[in-house]
Amino acid sequence: MFDALRNHIEKIIPLTEEEVELIASFFTARSYKKGQFVFQEGEPLTKHYFICKGLLKLVYTDTDAREHIIGFAMEDWWESDFEAFYTQQHTTLSLICLEDTDLLYITLEGYKTLCRTLPKIEHFFLEKAYFGFIAAQKRILSTLTSNTSERYRQLLERYPTLVQRVPKAQLAAYLGVSRETLSRISL
Amino acid sequence: MFDALRNHIEKIIPLTEEEVELIASFFTARSYKKGQFVFQEGEPLTKHYFICKGLLKLVYTDTDAREHIIGFAMEDWWESDFEAFYTQQHTTLSLICLEDTDLLYITLEGYKTLCRTLPKIEHFFLEKAYFGFIAAQKRILSTLTSNTSERYRQLLERYPTLVQRVPKAQLAAYLGVSRETLSRISL
DNA sequence: ATAGGGGAGTGATCCAGATCACTCCATAAC
DNA sequence: GTTATGGAGTGATCTGGATCACTCCCCTAT
C-alpha cells in the first residue's frame, strides 16, 4: 500500500531508502467500504488523504439536501477539503466512497513536520497543487464555453473509466445538470 | 515597485536583505497601457507575472470570437497561463489590461533557478498555489449550487471594488451570462 | 456644437434544461 | 418464486437565460 505512494512521489522527486522510510512513518493506512464517509460536513478536518485504491466523491450538500459533486477522486490522487485543512476550520464538504477504498492519510501536524524535515517534499506538493489548480481552471473554462453535451463528452474523455464505475446520476451531479437531462443527451 | 513584491512575499516567509536582493535580481519591471495585451493566445509563454498596480483579465477567446473571462487579476496577484508556463506549450489564453498596469515578471528559467538557489521560496509559491486552487474550487462550487443572481452577489462581495473598475459586460463574461441578463438582475 | 462610440437598460421571442410524473428494467432480499 | 430497491429512460410542462433589435446617455474627438 505504501508502494503506491512511493511510486507516486518518485514520479516527481527521487527518494533514498531512508527518505521513503521517513515519509511512510508519517502516514497511516485505513480502509473504507462503499458508501462510507471518510469525512463529513461540519467536522474539524486535520487530514490529507492519498488514495491507493478505490473511488470517492467530494461533495457539497446544499440546504435542500442536494448533493453537488466537486470532484471524483481515484487511485493515485490526493483529496481533502483543502481550505478546512489549511485554515483549520470545520469542513463544509464530505468525502464519500463510491467503491471500497484504501487510503493513506497524513495529519496537518505530520504534514508540517514532514515539510520541515524533508523540505524537498514541498516541491512535490507544489507540483500537485499547480496541476490541481490548472485542472480546476480548465473545468471553469469548460462551464463558460461549452454546453452540457460537450462537457459530458469532455468528462468521458478525461475519465474514460468513470462511466463504468459510477451511476449516471453522479455524473449529472458533477456536471451540474439533472439526471433527466443527462439521460437525454446523445453524444 | 519591488517593494510591493517584497511585502507580498514577506507576508508568508521572512527574508533577509540579501534574499530580497537575490529575488529582485530575477524580476523585470514593465508597464502597460489600458487595452494592451500582456500575452496573447498562440504565443509561447515563459513568464510569470506579479501585478504591482492595475487590473487585468485572463481571457479565453472561443471560435466565435467571444471572450470568456477566466479571472480578473489585480494588485498583489500573480497571473499567467500556468499550464502553458509549466508545460512549455503555447498559450490558449490572453492576459489583457483593463487599466494602466505595472507588472514584474520572472521567466521560467529564472523561476527554476530561484527555486534552486532559495528553496524556501517554494514554500511561498506552494501557499499561493493552494489558495489559488481553493478559490477555483469555490468558484466551481458556486456554479453548481447558485443561480446567476446569487453568483453575481458573491462576486460583488468578494471583489467590491470591481464594479467601479470594469464595465458590467466584463462581469457578465466572468459569470458566463449575457450582458442583457446581468443588466436585468436585481440583487 | 456636433458626431461617434462605448456602456447600459429593455422589450419580444425562442430554446436548453429543470421539474414532475411516470415506466421499465435489473439485481438483491425475503 | 415474489417483492423491494436503485438505475435509467421518457413524455409534458414550465422557466431562466440567450438572442436580436432597439433606445438612451455620457464622454471624447473633431
Side-chain angles (χ1 to χ4, degrees):
Chain A
M1 202 151 148
F2 287 98
D3 284 349
L5 179 59
R6 180 201 182 141
N7 292 334
H8 175 69
I9 297 176
E10 285 194 317
K11 273 179 202 148
I12 294 172
I13 52 172
L15 296 173
T16 66
E17 280 309 316
E18 299 84 60
E19 288 168 345
V20 171
E21 287 301 313
L22 174 72
I23 292 170
S25 74
F26 282 98
F27 283 86
T28 310
R30 172 136 186 217
S31 295
Y32 292 85
K33 290 268 164 219
K34 178 176 173 173
Q36 281 191 300
F37 284 67
V38 176
F39 59 79
Q40 203 166 159
E41 188 214 325
E43 295 176 359
L45 181 75
T46 52
K47 298 189 182 73
H48 203 132
Y49 299 90
F50 175 74
I51 299 139
C52 298
K53 199 181 129 309
L55 180 63
L56 307 97
K57 57 178 175 181
L58 183 65
V59 158
Y60 173 77
T61 308
D62 68 19
T63 44
D64 299 332
R66 273 167 212 258
E67 274 191 3
H68 303 275
I69 299 185
I70 299 179
F72 295 104
M74 40 214 242
E75 288 80 15
D76 274 13
W77 286 30
W78 294 83
E79 201 55 88
S80 185
D81 175 344
F82 293 91
E83 184 174 28
F85 184 72
Y86 291 106
T87 63
Q88 292 276 71
Q89 297 165 352
H90 287 211
T91 339
T92 52
L93 308 177
S94 305
L95 184 60
I96 306 172
C97 300
L98 292 168
E99 296 177 356
D100 294 354
T101 74
D102 299 330
L103 302 174
L104 290 172
Y105 66 81
I106 186 168
T107 63
L108 181 58
E109 299 75 49
Y111 170 79
K112 286 179 177 167
T113 312
L114 177 57
C115 287
R116 241 179 290 115
T117 330
L118 188 70
K120 76 175 176 185
I121 197 81
E122 288 207 314
H123 182 78
F124 166 79
F125 285 119
L126 181 57
E127 191 105 327
K128 289 289 139 190
Y130 277 138
F131 285 100
F133 177 66
I134 289 168
Q137 215 170 253
K138 279 187 169 178
R139 184 162 163 207
I140 289 170
L141 188 56
S142 138
T143 67
L144 288 177
T145 55
S146 309
N147 61 22
T148 304
S149 154
E150 176 61 16
R151 280 168 47 230
Y152 185 41
R153 240 194 20 70
Q154 290 169 9
L155 176 63
L156 298 186
E157 201 175 286
R158 182 117 160 274
Y159 310 113
T161 62
L162 212 54
V163 214
Q164 288 98 274
R165 295 174 78 175
V166 307
K168 295 246 176 77
Q170 304 291 324
L171 301 182
Y174 175 91
L175 292 171
V177 297
S178 71
R179 217 207 77 228
E180 292 93 331
T181 297
L182 190 66
S183 157
R184 277 186 253 261
I185 284 174
S186 54
L187 299 177
Chain B
M1 202 151 147
F2 287 99
D3 284 349
L5 178 59
R6 180 200 183 142
N7 292 334
H8 176 68
I9 297 176
E10 285 194 319
K11 273 179 202 147
I12 293 173
I13 52 171
L15 296 174
T16 65
E17 279 309 316
E18 299 83 60
E19 287 168 345
V20 171
E21 288 301 312
L22 175 72
I23 292 170
S25 75
F26 282 98
F27 283 86
T28 310
R30 173 138 185 215
S31 295
Y32 293 85
K33 290 269 164 216
K34 176 174 176 176
Q36 281 191 301
F37 284 67
V38 176
F39 58 80
Q40 202 165 157
E41 188 213 326
E43 297 175 358
L45 180 76
T46 53
K47 299 189 181 73
H48 203 130
Y49 299 90
F50 174 74
I51 299 139
C52 299
K53 197 180 129 312
L55 181 63
L56 308 97
K57 58 178 176 182
L58 183 65
V59 158
Y60 174 78
T61 308
D62 68 19
T63 43
D64 298 333
R66 273 167 211 260
E67 274 191 4
H68 304 274
I69 298 185
I70 299 180
F72 295 104
M74 40 213 240
E75 288 79 15
D76 273 13
W77 286 29
W78 294 84
E79 201 55 87
S80 186
D81 175 343
F82 293 91
E83 184 174 28
F85 184 72
Y86 290 107
T87 63
Q88 292 277 70
Q89 296 165 354
H90 287 212
T91 338
T92 52
L93 309 177
S94 305
L95 184 60
I96 306 173
C97 299
L98 293 168
E99 297 177 355
D100 294 355
T101 74
D102 299 330
L103 302 175
L104 291 172
Y105 66 82
I106 186 169
T107 63
L108 181 57
E109 298 75 49
Y111 169 79
K112 286 181 177 165
T113 312
L114 176 58
C115 288
R116 241 181 289 114
T117 328
L118 188 70
K120 74 176 177 185
I121 197 82
E122 288 208 313
H123 181 78
F124 166 79
F125 286 118
L126 181 56
E127 191 103 330
K128 289 288 139 194
Y130 277 139
F131 285 100
F133 178 64
I134 289 169
Q137 216 170 251
K138 279 189 170 177
R139 183 161 164 209
I140 289 170
L141 188 56
S142 137
T143 66
L144 288 177
T145 55
S146 309
N147 60 23
T148 303
S149 153
E150 175 60 18
R151 280 168 47 230
Y152 184 41
R153 239 196 21 70
Q154 290 169 11
L155 175 63
L156 298 187
E157 201 176 286
R158 182 117 161 273
Y159 310 113
T161 63
L162 212 54
V163 214
Q164 289 99 274
R165 295 174 77 174
V166 306
K168 293 247 176 76
Q170 304 291 323
L171 301 181
Y174 175 90
L175 292 171
V177 297
S178 70
R179 216 206 79 229
E180 292 92 332
T181 296
L182 192 67
S183 157
R184 277 185 254 258
I185 283 174
S186 54
L187 296 177

